[in-house]
Amino acid sequence: MGNGDTRVRGLAARAGGWSARHRWAAVGIWVLFVVLAMGLGSAAGRVDVKDSDQLSGETHAAATIVEDAGIDEPAGETVLIQAKDRSLKATDAEFRAAVSAVVRAVEATGEVTDVTTPYDTGTISEDGRSALVQFDMRGESDTAGERVEPVLKAVEKVREDHEALRIEEIGGASMMKTFDDAFGDDFRKAEYSAVPVALGILLIAFGALVAALLPVALAITAIMATMGLMGVVSHVMPMSETANSVMLLVGLAVGVDYCLFYLRREREERAAGRDAQTALQIAAATSGRAIVVSGVTVCVAMAGMLFTGLAEFEAMGLASLMVVAVAMVGSVTVLPALLSLLGERVEKGRIPFLRRRNKAHGTGGESRFWTAVLRRVLARPVISVVVATGALLAIAAPAVGMKTQNLTLDQEFGDSLPIVQTYNRVNDAFPGGSEPAEVVVRAADINAPEVKGALADFKELAISSGASRGPVEIKLHDEQNVAFVYVPLVGGSDQDEAGASLERLRDEVRPATLGKVDGVEAPITGQVAGSHDFNEQLVGSVVPVFVFVVVFAFLLMLLSFRSLTVAITSIVLNLLSVGAAYGILVAVFQHGWGASLVGAEGVGAIITWLPLFLFVILFGLSMDYHVFVVSRIREARLRGRTTRDAIQHGVVTTAGVVTSAAVIMVAVFAIFGTLSMQSMKQMGVGLAAAVLIDATIIRGVLLPAVMALLGERNWYFPTWLNRLPDLTHDETPAPVAPAARDDEGEHEPVRV
């Protein structure tokens, strides 16, 4: 493919060359792949993560017993009846009339079963002002939220007739409906608005509609193909809605970025005077290679989630890995074919004002702003390193006191929903009653005298030990020889105190009662237990995930750049970036510093899953920019520039594309920071802040300053490592004779 002064080598260059020569075939294969993937996914259907797959430990054991027994636990609902006046008690006639009215109203809907009154179950608060009517929703619990509205309206009607009482419903079904109504559209709008936001930024970056549409179109097709593949893969490793949302985020971010890198380099080379064919060859051999190295590194980082043993994390990791791989392949195959087909038409739909601005700033050349910054950084590299590192360490400092926990309902949503206030009232009147521990008991004969005796002893000791204030409810399933024991935990919504009550149940009450009967299994699950088991499993997976991601990223950098120094500095700089993101999260969401600026609240903790999730995602995405910038620096160095000159050239010529890519990522992630859920705000703010820091302080100041200080030691590669595979062959050219270069080094013949 080429003229006399070019020769294509390496995987990315060969792929780009083949696609440019067989452009219709390349486009056809890509379209066929996307259609087949979606068709296969639709035909196969998607298998979602089951409760028994979510966690290991007791939570997993309890879910397995329930599934094996074929018991579909219904969605439980509770109606709180509470006197507004302290003089009115649950034993008064007016209160009793309200209880009877609630029972009649919910039964009349035909949607409920097993209705119990507080006078039968003893669910009356210590002060006598509050009582609970409890019942189950008919049908499957997963769809109960769709059927609960008539029940909610029936309870509301009773409330209108009893002004002296608070009559409020809460439970699995009502919470499901409330959250779907309040935040389902919120999520969908966030996902849908990400595409126009990315397109708008690309329009500003390129100044032409066709050029801006290409990255978005390829990212969307990569996402569509991955959604189909997720359906097929889910039969081996179940997927989830969360994994789908994360895949969309990551797919849009990297899909657009990879195309942006490739397209900007091709346009840059054409602006420097190359013919279209040569410009495409150079983009394939340089940006194409950087995309492959970056894509493989991001895939390795995402694969780290597979080591957690948590089904949700494994699903997120695999889905993210797949979309990155698909986007990477699309960027180095179908994009060159499209660019070859479009030719000059890639500039169609020009926006005059933006075109003039880009021309003035040098679309294909060096950024004036970053040229000025780099001049100062390279003039005083020691001061730059000290100031930038000090700033990052100061930002990261709050992370030392990070506290993680699963957020309670009031922490997650604040007082924005009435149901949160109901949740708090139930917890105040009946600590732990809204989220009881659930003991799943399986025996050879659940009605055997010794088993029934052990259940009675467990119920009594749970209260006398201080783990619960009661009432403890036992529900038998005789046919399956399974019993459910519901134990309200002392501590209620206080995670630490409720956790201590759970430990007492598991370590003291159970061994002294159910543990003494041979053949009885009694794992303890529930919201508090699930949170506890999740934390334990997550903490246990931190070290293997961290080691896997760091070691493999180091090896990829080492093999891709044949430099021990570059590999080490890339890891250190990425860790600084992640540390700074942690610091911002803790400062804003744990301590509440500046929380109002992002519409957040200082909830006193970071949601448990976020630190590990952020580490994996950010480590992968940070490598995006690092590989792209360092590849350009190394390329300039191989062309004969001095290391200092190569650093300046590499950073300022990539500054425009890195800035555009970072702005897109920050904008997409920031959209999720606008959602009402605190966990989503934390994720959005953490990702957006980290990418912003990475693209500015890390890549614009710290990386060039460190490389300037190291000088020729940047390329240090011990001779004993020469036996390792050489992955640098896509890199370019033989040095160019000085006479062939102009002042900027932009118009010399390039040999790829």
XYZ file of all heavy atoms in Angstrom, residues 305 313 402 578 581-582 585 606 609-622 682-688 690:
236
model
N -11.569 -7.096 37.626
C -12.835 -7.280 38.341
C -13.241 -8.742 38.426
O -14.031 -9.118 39.289
C -13.951 -6.492 37.639
C -13.814 -4.986 37.732
S -15.399 -4.179 37.359
C -14.833 -2.637 36.665
N -19.591 -7.467 40.030
C -18.293 -6.959 39.561
C -17.801 -7.760 38.368
O -17.243 -7.203 37.417
C -17.262 -7.025 40.702
C -17.168 -5.759 41.498
C -18.259 -5.299 42.211
C -16.005 -5.022 41.530
C -18.198 -4.138 42.944
C -15.922 -3.846 42.261
C -17.022 -3.402 42.980
N -10.577 7.313 54.677
C -11.778 6.850 53.961
C -12.554 5.812 54.765
O -11.986 4.868 55.302
C -11.396 6.255 52.604
C -12.597 5.786 51.790
S -12.143 4.895 50.285
C -11.492 6.219 49.277
N -5.353 8.076 40.686
C -6.411 7.360 41.425
C -6.481 7.868 42.863
O -7.578 8.085 43.406
C -6.158 5.838 41.398
C -7.148 5.109 42.297
C -6.269 5.303 39.970
N -8.311 11.090 43.039
C -9.762 10.870 42.900
C -10.363 10.411 44.226
O -11.443 10.871 44.628
C -10.025 9.829 41.813
N -9.675 9.513 44.916
C -10.134 9.059 46.232
C -10.222 10.240 47.203
O -11.182 10.362 47.973
C -9.173 8.015 46.809
C -9.265 6.634 46.198
C -8.351 5.639 46.543
C -10.250 6.315 45.285
C -8.422 4.362 46.003
C -10.338 5.045 44.734
C -9.418 4.072 45.091
O -9.495 2.816 44.548
N -13.264 12.359 46.526
C -14.474 11.656 46.968
C -14.680 11.781 48.472
O -15.776 12.093 48.948
C -14.379 10.172 46.599
C -14.822 9.755 45.208
C -14.595 8.261 45.023
C -16.294 10.071 44.986
N -18.199 6.536 51.909
C -18.165 6.234 50.482
C -18.797 4.854 50.312
O -18.506 3.931 51.073
C -16.709 6.216 49.950
C -15.998 7.525 50.303
C -16.686 5.964 48.449
C -16.662 8.761 49.785
N -18.613 -0.394 47.196
C -18.073 -0.946 45.953
C -17.262 0.054 45.144
O -16.521 -0.318 44.233
C -19.198 -1.496 45.077
C -20.300 -0.521 44.772
C -21.471 -0.381 45.445
C -20.337 0.454 43.722
N -22.247 0.611 44.891
C -21.579 1.141 43.825
C -19.455 0.812 42.703
C -21.943 2.164 42.951
C -19.822 1.828 41.832
C -21.043 2.496 41.959
N -17.380 1.346 45.480
C -16.823 2.375 44.598
C -15.295 2.426 44.544
O -14.731 2.567 43.446
C -17.400 3.742 44.987
C -17.124 4.870 43.999
C -17.665 4.539 42.616
C -17.732 6.177 44.499
N -14.561 2.353 45.674
C -13.099 2.469 45.573
C -12.456 1.448 44.638
O -11.615 1.815 43.801
C -12.636 2.279 47.028
C -13.784 2.756 47.846
C -15.007 2.340 47.087
N -12.843 0.182 44.746
C -12.244 -0.834 43.876
C -12.698 -0.631 42.430
O -11.898 -0.749 41.492
C -12.627 -2.238 44.356
C -11.910 -3.397 43.650
C -10.404 -3.298 43.862
C -12.421 -4.742 44.155
N -13.978 -0.308 42.252
C -14.507 -0.044 40.908
C -13.747 1.116 40.260
O -13.330 1.030 39.102
C -16.000 0.275 41.020
C -16.629 0.725 39.740
C -17.007 -0.197 38.774
C -16.848 2.071 39.488
C -17.599 0.218 37.583
C -17.432 2.492 38.305
C -17.808 1.565 37.354
N -13.572 2.213 41.008
C -12.856 3.373 40.475
C -11.415 3.036 40.142
O -10.885 3.472 39.112
C -12.879 4.523 41.493
C -14.104 5.428 41.518
C -13.889 6.564 42.505
C -14.414 5.990 40.154
N -10.765 2.262 41.003
C -9.367 1.899 40.744
C -9.234 1.188 39.404
O -8.383 1.539 38.579
C -8.831 1.007 41.871
C -7.501 0.376 41.545
C -6.344 1.135 41.577
C -7.416 -0.957 41.176
C -5.111 0.573 41.253
C -6.198 -1.536 40.851
C -5.038 -0.762 40.898
N -10.084 0.209 39.179
C -9.993 -0.583 37.947
C -10.315 0.275 36.718
O -9.575 0.287 35.732
C -10.939 -1.798 38.025
C -11.011 -2.510 36.690
C -10.474 -2.766 39.107
N -11.429 1.009 36.787
C -11.846 1.832 35.648
C -10.815 2.922 35.360
O -10.389 3.117 34.215
C -13.222 2.479 35.919
C -14.305 1.413 36.060
C -13.575 3.474 34.818
C -14.733 0.766 34.769
N -10.397 3.642 36.405
C -9.482 4.763 36.201
C -8.103 4.300 35.770
O -7.448 4.961 34.951
C -9.369 5.594 37.486
C -10.635 6.363 37.875
C -10.423 7.107 39.182
C -11.031 7.331 36.777
N -7.648 3.196 36.299
C -6.332 2.693 35.904
C -6.339 2.371 34.412
O -5.373 2.652 33.697
C -5.966 1.452 36.716
C -4.485 1.301 36.907
C -3.854 1.890 37.986
C -3.723 0.586 36.001
C -2.481 1.767 38.164
C -2.357 0.457 36.167
C -1.733 1.046 37.247
N -7.452 1.791 33.955
C -7.550 1.489 32.533
C -7.657 2.734 31.683
O -6.914 2.911 30.716
N -8.564 3.667 32.056
C -8.773 4.856 31.245
C -7.567 5.795 31.271
O -7.280 6.469 30.273
C -10.028 5.599 31.723
C -11.348 4.845 31.564
C -12.510 5.705 32.030
C -11.573 4.391 30.126
N -6.854 5.866 32.394
C -5.663 6.713 32.467
C -4.599 6.248 31.487
O -3.852 7.048 30.927
C -5.080 6.703 33.889
O -5.973 7.280 34.799
N -21.455 9.918 43.556
C -20.081 9.588 43.934
C -19.313 9.010 42.754
O -18.167 9.380 42.497
C -20.085 8.613 45.113
C -20.552 9.228 46.415
C -20.462 8.272 47.600
O -19.923 7.168 47.495
N -20.980 8.697 48.737
N -19.953 8.107 42.012
C -19.293 7.517 40.853
C -18.997 8.578 39.797
O -17.887 8.662 39.263
C -20.160 6.412 40.249
C -19.489 5.700 39.082
S -20.549 4.483 38.256
C -21.567 5.563 37.254
N -20.001 9.408 39.480
C -19.827 10.420 38.445
C -18.762 11.434 38.798
O -17.888 11.753 37.975
N -18.811 11.947 40.027
C -17.832 12.955 40.460
C -16.429 12.352 40.525
O -15.454 12.968 40.090
C -18.234 13.544 41.830
C -17.113 14.394 42.416
C -19.501 14.377 41.689
N -16.318 11.119 41.052
C -15.004 10.472 41.150
C -14.368 10.261 39.791
O -13.186 10.581 39.577
N -15.128 9.734 38.844
C -14.601 9.485 37.499
C -14.259 10.790 36.791
O -13.194 10.928 36.182
C -15.626 8.701 36.676
C -15.779 7.215 37.018
C -17.006 6.636 36.318
C -14.546 6.424 36.624
N -15.168 11.775 36.857
C -14.941 13.041 36.158
C -13.719 13.767 36.722
O -12.873 14.266 35.963
C -16.187 13.929 36.279
N -11.145 12.519 38.362
C -9.901 11.786 38.083
C -9.440 11.991 36.643
O -8.248 12.204 36.381
C -10.101 10.301 38.350
